[in-house]
Amino acid sequence: MFWNLLKKELREVLTVSSVISIVAMALIYAMIGKSVGSIAEEVSKKQIVAVVNLDKGEFSKAIEDAVESYATVIYKGDNVDEAMEKLKKNNGSALLIIQEDFTQKISSNQQAKIKVISILKGLGIMDTIPSEAFNNFLNALKNQMVLTLLTKYGVENPSFVLDPIGREEATIYLDKVLEGTSPSQLLNYVSNRWLIVSIVVMMLIIMSGSTVISSLGLEKENKTLETLLTMPVARSHIILAKILAATIAGLIMAGIYMVGFSLYMRSFEVPLSSGIDFSMNVVDYVLVTLSMFSALLCGISIAMLLGLISKDFKSAQTLTFPLVALAVFSMLLTMFKDLSTMPTFLKIVVFAIPFTHAMTSVRNVLFDNYPLLIYGSLYNFVLTAVLLAINVKIFNSDSLITGVKFARRGLTRRFTSL
């Protein structure tokens, strides 16, 4: 009977529409990640440009040669209209116009100018990459011109004059010394990994929890819960089947969602120069999965309790707010603050929130902080057992149908909301 109940609950929560929606979301993330991941490839491509040289002097010729070595120059001449027409036909990105007094001004110790006309086809990030890449090249070209002038005026070692101070980075975190890595590089590298789990856990808690709460509210409103309670099956099996079904469905959706979101986040990843291996082994993945499973079980148990105290579907919708707020608060807190740097009181609050352990599981694994991860999972399982006991006690009583009575100091309080 229990397995029949579990299959029934799975059919209700793991519907075709819910699976299609999560697969569609994962595919969208994957496609965005693939398109964003082509940024590096786009930057490495030779840009198509045109050069209008109105000067024909020594320095303008040097600029012209440098541009030709960097980009694909489809036009070299002195006709702006002709150059622009060729650029448009060949899907070019920029037109350089070297002013006619360029060499004369530089020779006279005056600032010379180059006009750059960028051709934008859109205002998206990918649309502006060619222009930005070419602007970076022009900045490098400017530095090269400075070196040339310093050499011309007899400055010894001109490269030293431009860059007299070298900088070496090293970061120490949790007794790990990361040579050649700045704090921002480390944060960017690690956050791309644990942010995936944080967002997945948050979304699963919200989706699965809201489904459970709404389902119980709807069953109360339609009186189907009363029929279920009269069936010849242990009521503890009923509540366990509901929680397990929602948890299994959540884990399946988590796997689908994580694949798409990981492809999305991987496109922003910048490799570390420290050479330290942050790869995860099989045991690490098992511990992270176990932590997610415990957090999901705990969240659904809380959702079940909230669903039990709802009167109908409308009140159940309202009761989803505490669960959503707790999940969002947990994600934002772990994103902006590390547990090791929090005050003692805040550490206790964070540890008491069951979702934070799953959200920080990848971070703990990457830096070998296994005790905190294991203790957090154990805490979640213990809290789940306590919540299950409360839910089963409510289910075993008749309070779901008749209401709950508490006698205290001679006064009887009746909660008809149950």
PDB file of all heavy atoms in Angstrom, residues 17-45:
ATOM      1  N   SER A  17       4.077  18.271 -17.554  1.00  0.00           N
ATOM      2  CA  SER A  17       4.244  19.724 -17.705  1.00  0.00           C
ATOM      3  C   SER A  17       5.377  20.249 -16.836  1.00  0.00           C
ATOM      4  O   SER A  17       6.143  21.127 -17.263  1.00  0.00           O
ATOM      5  CB  SER A  17       2.936  20.438 -17.338  1.00  0.00           C
ATOM      6  OG  SER A  17       2.554  20.138 -16.006  1.00  0.00           O
ATOM      7  N   SER A  18       5.515  19.718 -15.600  1.00  0.00           N
ATOM      8  CA  SER A  18       6.592  20.188 -14.723  1.00  0.00           C
ATOM      9  C   SER A  18       7.955  19.773 -15.259  1.00  0.00           C
ATOM     10  O   SER A  18       8.914  20.547 -15.199  1.00  0.00           O
ATOM     11  CB  SER A  18       6.395  19.635 -13.303  1.00  0.00           C
ATOM     12  OG  SER A  18       6.466  18.228 -13.295  1.00  0.00           O
ATOM     13  N   VAL A  19       8.050  18.552 -15.790  1.00  0.00           N
ATOM     14  CA  VAL A  19       9.321  18.083 -16.356  1.00  0.00           C
ATOM     15  C   VAL A  19       9.685  18.898 -17.596  1.00  0.00           C
ATOM     16  O   VAL A  19      10.835  19.308 -17.786  1.00  0.00           O
ATOM     17  CB  VAL A  19       9.258  16.584 -16.701  1.00  0.00           C
ATOM     18  CG1 VAL A  19      10.513  16.149 -17.447  1.00  0.00           C
ATOM     19  CG2 VAL A  19       9.082  15.752 -15.437  1.00  0.00           C
ATOM     20  N   ILE A  20       8.690  19.156 -18.454  1.00  0.00           N
ATOM     21  CA  ILE A  20       8.935  19.941 -19.672  1.00  0.00           C
ATOM     22  C   ILE A  20       9.408  21.346 -19.320  1.00  0.00           C
ATOM     23  O   ILE A  20      10.335  21.880 -19.946  1.00  0.00           O
ATOM     24  CB  ILE A  20       7.664  19.993 -20.545  1.00  0.00           C
ATOM     25  CG1 ILE A  20       7.389  18.615 -21.160  1.00  0.00           C
ATOM     26  CG2 ILE A  20       7.812  21.038 -21.643  1.00  0.00           C
ATOM     27  CD1 ILE A  20       6.103  18.540 -21.953  1.00  0.00           C
ATOM     28  N   SER A  21       8.802  21.946 -18.291  1.00  0.00           N
ATOM     29  CA  SER A  21       9.178  23.314 -17.910  1.00  0.00           C
ATOM     30  C   SER A  21      10.608  23.370 -17.397  1.00  0.00           C
ATOM     31  O   SER A  21      11.365  24.290 -17.744  1.00  0.00           O
ATOM     32  CB  SER A  21       8.214  23.849 -16.855  1.00  0.00           C
ATOM     33  OG  SER A  21       8.290  23.077 -15.668  1.00  0.00           O
ATOM     34  N   ILE A  22      11.012  22.377 -16.584  1.00  0.00           N
ATOM     35  CA  ILE A  22      12.371  22.412 -16.038  1.00  0.00           C
ATOM     36  C   ILE A  22      13.394  22.077 -17.118  1.00  0.00           C
ATOM     37  O   ILE A  22      14.489  22.628 -17.149  1.00  0.00           O
ATOM     38  CB  ILE A  22      12.487  21.455 -14.828  1.00  0.00           C
ATOM     39  CG1 ILE A  22      13.686  21.860 -13.946  1.00  0.00           C
ATOM     40  CG2 ILE A  22      12.619  20.023 -15.248  1.00  0.00           C
ATOM     41  CD1 ILE A  22      13.489  23.080 -13.147  1.00  0.00           C
ATOM     42  N   VAL A  23      13.036  21.171 -18.045  1.00  0.00           N
ATOM     43  CA  VAL A  23      13.938  20.854 -19.165  1.00  0.00           C
ATOM     44  C   VAL A  23      14.098  22.076 -20.067  1.00  0.00           C
ATOM     45  O   VAL A  23      15.205  22.389 -20.521  1.00  0.00           O
ATOM     46  CB  VAL A  23      13.403  19.654 -19.972  1.00  0.00           C
ATOM     47  CG1 VAL A  23      14.156  19.494 -21.282  1.00  0.00           C
ATOM     48  CG2 VAL A  23      13.519  18.372 -19.154  1.00  0.00           C
ATOM     49  N   ALA A  24      12.986  22.775 -20.308  1.00  0.00           N
ATOM     50  CA  ALA A  24      13.047  23.982 -21.137  1.00  0.00           C
ATOM     51  C   ALA A  24      13.938  25.040 -20.500  1.00  0.00           C
ATOM     52  O   ALA A  24      14.746  25.689 -21.182  1.00  0.00           O
ATOM     53  CB  ALA A  24      11.641  24.533 -21.353  1.00  0.00           C
ATOM     54  N   MET A  25      13.824  25.190 -19.173  1.00  0.00           N
ATOM     55  CA  MET A  25      14.662  26.169 -18.483  1.00  0.00           C
ATOM     56  C   MET A  25      16.135  25.780 -18.549  1.00  0.00           C
ATOM     57  O   MET A  25      17.010  26.625 -18.768  1.00  0.00           O
ATOM     58  CB  MET A  25      14.224  26.288 -17.016  1.00  0.00           C
ATOM     59  CG  MET A  25      14.865  27.427 -16.255  1.00  0.00           C
ATOM     60  SD  MET A  25      14.212  27.601 -14.586  1.00  0.00           S
ATOM     61  CE  MET A  25      12.522  28.052 -14.941  1.00  0.00           C
ATOM     62  N   ALA A  26      16.418  24.476 -18.387  1.00  0.00           N
ATOM     63  CA  ALA A  26      17.801  24.006 -18.471  1.00  0.00           C
ATOM     64  C   ALA A  26      18.370  24.233 -19.864  1.00  0.00           C
ATOM     65  O   ALA A  26      19.538  24.633 -20.019  1.00  0.00           O
ATOM     66  CB  ALA A  26      17.872  22.524 -18.090  1.00  0.00           C
ATOM     67  N   LEU A  27      17.556  23.984 -20.896  1.00  0.00           N
ATOM     68  CA  LEU A  27      18.012  24.196 -22.271  1.00  0.00           C
ATOM     69  C   LEU A  27      18.280  25.670 -22.554  1.00  0.00           C
ATOM     70  O   LEU A  27      19.233  26.014 -23.263  1.00  0.00           O
ATOM     71  CB  LEU A  27      16.967  23.652 -23.258  1.00  0.00           C
ATOM     72  CG  LEU A  27      16.878  22.124 -23.359  1.00  0.00           C
ATOM     73  CD1 LEU A  27      15.724  21.722 -24.262  1.00  0.00           C
ATOM     74  CD2 LEU A  27      18.184  21.535 -23.883  1.00  0.00           C
ATOM     75  N   ILE A  28      17.445  26.534 -21.986  1.00  0.00           N
ATOM     76  CA  ILE A  28      17.647  27.971 -22.182  1.00  0.00           C
ATOM     77  C   ILE A  28      18.977  28.406 -21.578  1.00  0.00           C
ATOM     78  O   ILE A  28      19.762  29.140 -22.195  1.00  0.00           O
ATOM     79  CB  ILE A  28      16.471  28.766 -21.557  1.00  0.00           C
ATOM     80  CG1 ILE A  28      15.196  28.559 -22.379  1.00  0.00           C
ATOM     81  CG2 ILE A  28      16.816  30.253 -21.465  1.00  0.00           C
ATOM     82  CD1 ILE A  28      13.956  29.131 -21.744  1.00  0.00           C
ATOM     83  N   TYR A  29      19.249  27.940 -20.344  1.00  0.00           N
ATOM     84  CA  TYR A  29      20.528  28.266 -19.707  1.00  0.00           C
ATOM     85  C   TYR A  29      21.697  27.727 -20.528  1.00  0.00           C
ATOM     86  O   TYR A  29      22.727  28.396 -20.682  1.00  0.00           O
ATOM     87  CB  TYR A  29      20.577  27.691 -18.288  1.00  0.00           C
ATOM     88  CG  TYR A  29      19.969  28.593 -17.249  1.00  0.00           C
ATOM     89  CD1 TYR A  29      18.874  28.192 -16.501  1.00  0.00           C
ATOM     90  CD2 TYR A  29      20.504  29.855 -17.001  1.00  0.00           C
ATOM     91  CE1 TYR A  29      18.307  29.016 -15.540  1.00  0.00           C
ATOM     92  CE2 TYR A  29      19.945  30.695 -16.041  1.00  0.00           C
ATOM     93  CZ  TYR A  29      18.854  30.265 -15.310  1.00  0.00           C
ATOM     94  OH  TYR A  29      18.316  31.095 -14.375  1.00  0.00           O
ATOM     95  N   ALA A  30      21.555  26.492 -21.031  1.00  0.00           N
ATOM     96  CA  ALA A  30      22.630  25.881 -21.810  1.00  0.00           C
ATOM     97  C   ALA A  30      22.897  26.673 -23.083  1.00  0.00           C
ATOM     98  O   ALA A  30      24.058  26.900 -23.456  1.00  0.00           O
ATOM     99  CB  ALA A  30      22.280  24.434 -22.142  1.00  0.00           C
ATOM    100  N   MET A  31      21.831  27.112 -23.744  1.00  0.00           N
ATOM    101  CA  MET A  31      22.000  27.877 -24.986  1.00  0.00           C
ATOM    102  C   MET A  31      22.617  29.244 -24.720  1.00  0.00           C
ATOM    103  O   MET A  31      23.473  29.701 -25.472  1.00  0.00           O
ATOM    104  CB  MET A  31      20.641  28.020 -25.682  1.00  0.00           C
ATOM    105  CG  MET A  31      20.158  26.743 -26.351  1.00  0.00           C
ATOM    106  SD  MET A  31      18.679  26.966 -27.357  1.00  0.00           S
ATOM    107  CE  MET A  31      17.455  27.353 -26.108  1.00  0.00           C
ATOM    108  N   ILE A  32      22.187  29.889 -23.618  1.00  0.00           N
ATOM    109  CA  ILE A  32      22.784  31.178 -23.267  1.00  0.00           C
ATOM    110  C   ILE A  32      24.260  30.999 -22.949  1.00  0.00           C
ATOM    111  O   ILE A  32      25.119  31.780 -23.375  1.00  0.00           O
ATOM    112  CB  ILE A  32      22.042  31.812 -22.069  1.00  0.00           C
ATOM    113  CG1 ILE A  32      20.606  32.172 -22.461  1.00  0.00           C
ATOM    114  CG2 ILE A  32      22.783  33.053 -21.577  1.00  0.00           C
ATOM    115  CD1 ILE A  32      19.769  32.681 -21.310  1.00  0.00           C
ATOM    116  N   GLY A  33      24.572  29.925 -22.190  1.00  0.00           N
ATOM    117  CA  GLY A  33      25.961  29.655 -21.849  1.00  0.00           C
ATOM    118  C   GLY A  33      26.809  29.405 -23.072  1.00  0.00           C
ATOM    119  O   GLY A  33      27.958  29.862 -23.156  1.00  0.00           O
ATOM    120  N   LYS A  34      26.254  28.686 -24.041  1.00  0.00           N
ATOM    121  CA  LYS A  34      26.999  28.409 -25.262  1.00  0.00           C
ATOM    122  C   LYS A  34      27.273  29.688 -26.046  1.00  0.00           C
ATOM    123  O   LYS A  34      28.370  29.887 -26.587  1.00  0.00           O
ATOM    124  CB  LYS A  34      26.227  27.424 -26.133  1.00  0.00           C
ATOM    125  CG  LYS A  34      27.004  26.952 -27.349  1.00  0.00           C
ATOM    126  CD  LYS A  34      26.238  25.910 -28.133  1.00  0.00           C
ATOM    127  CE  LYS A  34      27.026  25.448 -29.350  1.00  0.00           C
ATOM    128  NZ  LYS A  34      26.292  24.445 -30.144  1.00  0.00           N
ATOM    129  N   SER A  35      26.264  30.556 -26.099  1.00  0.00           N
ATOM    130  CA  SER A  35      26.448  31.805 -26.843  1.00  0.00           C
ATOM    131  C   SER A  35      27.428  32.733 -26.131  1.00  0.00           C
ATOM    132  O   SER A  35      28.270  33.374 -26.761  1.00  0.00           O
ATOM    133  CB  SER A  35      25.103  32.509 -27.033  1.00  0.00           C
ATOM    134  OG  SER A  35      24.529  32.845 -25.780  1.00  0.00           O
ATOM    135  N   VAL A  36      27.328  32.792 -24.801  1.00  0.00           N
ATOM    136  CA  VAL A  36      28.259  33.631 -24.043  1.00  0.00           C
ATOM    137  C   VAL A  36      29.660  33.046 -24.091  1.00  0.00           C
ATOM    138  O   VAL A  36      30.654  33.764 -24.113  1.00  0.00           O
ATOM    139  CB  VAL A  36      27.774  33.773 -22.580  1.00  0.00           C
ATOM    140  CG1 VAL A  36      28.805  34.506 -21.739  1.00  0.00           C
ATOM    141  CG2 VAL A  36      26.447  34.527 -22.541  1.00  0.00           C
ATOM    142  N   GLY A  37      29.739  31.697 -24.121  1.00  0.00           N
ATOM    143  CA  GLY A  37      31.032  31.046 -24.158  1.00  0.00           C
ATOM    144  C   GLY A  37      31.812  31.332 -25.427  1.00  0.00           C
ATOM    145  O   GLY A  37      33.025  31.117 -25.480  1.00  0.00           O
ATOM    146  N   SER A  38      31.126  31.809 -26.440  1.00  0.00           N
ATOM    147  CA  SER A  38      31.817  32.125 -27.698  1.00  0.00           C
ATOM    148  C   SER A  38      32.444  33.515 -27.682  1.00  0.00           C
ATOM    149  O   SER A  38      32.991  33.958 -28.685  1.00  0.00           O
ATOM    150  CB  SER A  38      30.823  32.038 -28.870  1.00  0.00           C
ATOM    151  OG  SER A  38      29.766  32.962 -28.705  1.00  0.00           O
ATOM    152  N   ILE A  39      32.377  34.199 -26.535  1.00  0.00           N
ATOM    153  CA  ILE A  39      32.970  35.537 -26.439  1.00  0.00           C
ATOM    154  C   ILE A  39      34.482  35.477 -26.667  1.00  0.00           C
ATOM    155  O   ILE A  39      35.050  36.271 -27.421  1.00  0.00           O
ATOM    156  CB  ILE A  39      32.657  36.179 -25.068  1.00  0.00           C
ATOM    157  CG1 ILE A  39      31.168  36.541 -24.994  1.00  0.00           C
ATOM    158  CG2 ILE A  39      33.500  37.416 -24.841  1.00  0.00           C
ATOM    159  CD1 ILE A  39      30.745  37.145 -23.680  1.00  0.00           C
ATOM    160  N   ALA A  40      35.127  34.517 -25.978  1.00  0.00           N
ATOM    161  CA  ALA A  40      36.581  34.394 -26.132  1.00  0.00           C
ATOM    162  C   ALA A  40      36.961  34.096 -27.578  1.00  0.00           C
ATOM    163  O   ALA A  40      37.943  34.636 -28.111  1.00  0.00           O
ATOM    164  CB  ALA A  40      37.108  33.296 -25.211  1.00  0.00           C
ATOM    165  N   GLU A  41      36.160  33.254 -28.203  1.00  0.00           N
ATOM    166  CA  GLU A  41      36.421  32.930 -29.611  1.00  0.00           C
ATOM    167  C   GLU A  41      36.231  34.157 -30.495  1.00  0.00           C
ATOM    168  O   GLU A  41      36.995  34.388 -31.428  1.00  0.00           O
ATOM    169  CB  GLU A  41      35.477  31.806 -30.047  1.00  0.00           C
ATOM    170  CG  GLU A  41      35.684  31.344 -31.470  1.00  0.00           C
ATOM    171  CD  GLU A  41      34.686  30.280 -31.878  1.00  0.00           C
ATOM    172  OE1 GLU A  41      34.002  29.730 -30.999  1.00  0.00           O
ATOM    173  OE2 GLU A  41      34.581  30.012 -33.089  1.00  0.00           O
ATOM    174  N   GLU A  42      35.217  34.955 -30.175  1.00  0.00           N
ATOM    175  CA  GLU A  42      34.935  36.152 -30.959  1.00  0.00           C
ATOM    176  C   GLU A  42      36.052  37.185 -30.793  1.00  0.00           C
ATOM    177  O   GLU A  42      36.456  37.853 -31.749  1.00  0.00           O
ATOM    178  CB  GLU A  42      33.599  36.760 -30.507  1.00  0.00           C
ATOM    179  CG  GLU A  42      33.110  37.905 -31.360  1.00  0.00           C
ATOM    180  CD  GLU A  42      32.663  37.471 -32.747  1.00  0.00           C
ATOM    181  OE1 GLU A  42      32.246  36.314 -32.920  1.00  0.00           O
ATOM    182  OE2 GLU A  42      32.759  38.308 -33.664  1.00  0.00           O
ATOM    183  N   VAL A  43      36.567  37.299 -29.561  1.00  0.00           N
ATOM    184  CA  VAL A  43      37.637  38.265 -29.298  1.00  0.00           C
ATOM    185  C   VAL A  43      38.909  37.891 -30.044  1.00  0.00           C
ATOM    186  O   VAL A  43      39.660  38.750 -30.520  1.00  0.00           O
ATOM    187  CB  VAL A  43      37.902  38.351 -27.779  1.00  0.00           C
ATOM    188  CG1 VAL A  43      39.161  39.162 -27.486  1.00  0.00           C
ATOM    189  CG2 VAL A  43      36.708  38.986 -27.077  1.00  0.00           C
ATOM    190  N   SER A  44      39.174  36.567 -30.139  1.00  0.00           N
ATOM    191  CA  SER A  44      40.407  36.113 -30.788  1.00  0.00           C
ATOM    192  C   SER A  44      40.368  36.241 -32.309  1.00  0.00           C
ATOM    193  O   SER A  44      41.408  36.145 -32.965  1.00  0.00           O
ATOM    194  CB  SER A  44      40.680  34.653 -30.410  1.00  0.00           C
ATOM    195  OG  SER A  44      39.643  33.809 -30.890  1.00  0.00           O
ATOM    196  N   LYS A  45      39.181  36.447 -32.853  1.00  0.00           N
ATOM    197  CA  LYS A  45      39.077  36.590 -34.310  1.00  0.00           C
ATOM    198  C   LYS A  45      39.683  37.918 -34.770  1.00  0.00           C
ATOM    199  O   LYS A  45      39.647  38.912 -34.059  1.00  0.00           O
ATOM    200  CB  LYS A  45      37.609  36.545 -34.753  1.00  0.00           C
ATOM    201  CG  LYS A  45      36.975  35.166 -34.695  1.00  0.00           C
ATOM    202  CD  LYS A  45      35.540  35.256 -35.191  1.00  0.00           C
ATOM    203  CE  LYS A  45      34.854  33.898 -35.164  1.00  0.00           C
ATOM    204  NZ  LYS A  45      33.445  33.991 -35.602  1.00  0.00           N
TER     205      LYS A  45
END
